[in-house]
Amino acid sequence: MERKRRDIRALSLDELRRFFISHSLPAFKGNQVFEWLWSKGSHDFLEMTNLSKSHRSLLEEHFVINHIAVDQLQRSDDGTIKNAIRLHDGYLVESVLIPTDTRSTACVSSQVGCSLDCHFCATAKLKRMRNLNPDEIYDQVVEIDKQSQLYYNRPLTNIVFMGMGEPLMNYKNTLTAIDRITSADGLGMSPKRITVSTSGITKIIREISDQNPKFKLAVSLHSAIEETRNRLMPFTKTFPLDQLLEALKYWYKKTKSQVTFEVVVWKDINDKQADIDALVSYCKQVPSKVNLIEYNAIGDDQFVQARPEAIAAYTTALENNRISVTVRRSRGKDIDAACGQLANKNNEFTHDHDV
Ligand code: SAH
């Protein structure tokens, strides 16, 4: 009877070395395989030419190499590229390449669908089907890097975990993927160029603060008024703003890395002076800066982008209080590749209900 073969990329370097030892073979073979799998991105044991034929067969007998495949690629008028990525078990996630004059940013997914319920986000309307494995997160980065080289003649400069899913609800796999992305025997990217965006899972923010995190942290705040935030993101009732603040202070204490607050300003929801005042006083309590993100419509009439005057009022108030603020324009809107629009629109596979 054929045994179920494991995905070899679920093994750590140590486990790979031990696999060879358990077959009375030298441990360094494990290092060679690890390099093929991660630095060289090999998807086939046959390619591992510094291993003998019998060693390759041994691997083949015990393991498979699961990998992702680009199912569909769409290019926006502004150069943004959206990929529908097919996972080995058929699920789809989306990954985006966002080029600017000086940067190439990969926006990657961490889960199939999402378990949170942010009313303004299209991904939230999809059921969370499963977490992505470290290799599935890593492979998205490798794929987007290839596309950056192919279409824009330069390697990736930045990675943001702002695709589908909540990275901190899959933090172990996210951290393992980031380890590989930053390590010399992986992609060797600088942690300064990696941003994990969370809706604010306080317990996990504390936990990762203790684990020498190799990334910057962004928090989808949207409102510093409890009631408003709860209305926009009902699950945040479990993570009140004061607890979030304490967790972020702890993050800063451990990492000395400033937090970025992401805020979308909507008409009649959070565009009043009281909203601005609350944000300013929240930001003052922890080293932080603010990104004001443009709203990307997802077909729900209750959400309308605030008028430019409201954005200007936010900017002025923050700057007057020496809080650095950037207004972020959307990219890739025409192909639904912008923040909050990732919902496998062209495919019904993960749809819970229509978006
Ligand atoms: N779950 C994580 C990462 C995915 S969302 C998080 O919540 O941070 C990435 C960013 O897009 C978040 O800041 C989120 O609040 C924002 N976003 C979601 N829907 C949006 C929309 N329709 N328009 C603009 N930004 C949106």
Side-chain angles (χ1 to χ4, degrees), residues 120-121 162-163 165-166 197-199 220 222 262 294-296 339-340:
F120 47 83
C121 178
M162 296 185 189
E166 166 52 52
S197 176
T198 177
S199 51
S220 302
H222 302 304
E262 298 160 284
E294 192 182 335
Y295 173 57
N296 304 306
C339 276

Side-chain angles (χ1 to χ4, degrees), residues 9-62:
R9 289 194 300 168
L11 271 64
S12 64
L13 172 59
D14 214 43
E15 287 169 324
L16 269 177
R17 286 170 59 89
R18 273 188 271 132
F19 170 80
F20 281 99
I21 294 170
S22 72
H23 287 84
S24 311
L25 294 167
F28 77 88
K29 297 261 161 232
N31 295 61
Q32 290 177 326
V33 174
F34 194 81
E35 197 184 340
W36 278 107
L37 292 173
W38 296 101
S39 315
K40 297 185 186 153
S42 177
H43 291 160
D44 192 341
F45 293 118
L46 287 178
E47 280 174 10
M48 304 182 180
T49 44
N50 55 359
L51 262 68
S52 72
K53 239 178 163 173
S54 65
H55 295 161
R56 280 182 261 158
S57 315
L58 179 70
L59 290 173
E60 194 92 54
E61 213 179 287
H62 286 82

Side-chain angles (χ1 to χ4, degrees), residues 114 116 118 120-122 161-167 197-200 218-222 233 262-264 266 293-298 330 339-341:
C114 190
L116 305 182
C118 308
F120 47 83
C121 178
F161 283 77
M162 296 185 189
M164 290 176 152
E166 166 52 52
S197 176
T198 177
S199 51
V219 174
S220 302
L221 190 67
H222 302 304
M233 309 156 81
E262 298 160 284
V263 177
V264 176
W266 291 280
I293 310 175
E294 192 182 335
Y295 173 57
N296 304 306
I298 61 159
S330 300
C339 276
Q341 290 186 318

Side-chain angles (χ1 to χ4, degrees), residues 219-266:
V219 174
S220 302
L221 190 67
H222 302 304
S223 175
I225 298 176
E226 198 87 71
E227 201 199 321
T228 309
R229 192 163 193 261
N230 287 171
R231 225 177 329 124
L232 291 165
M233 309 156 81
F235 75 92
T236 59
K237 288 189 191 105
T238 335
F239 308 108
L241 282 166
D242 55 346
Q243 274 181 31
L244 177 60
L245 188 62
E246 288 314 308
L248 295 176
K249 284 182 183 166
Y250 188 68
W251 162 272
Y252 185 77
K253 186 173 143 208
K254 297 297 251 189
T255 64
K256 293 286 166 287
S257 165
Q258 207 181 32
V259 174
T260 301
F261 288 121
E262 298 160 284
V263 177
V264 176
V265 187
W266 291 280

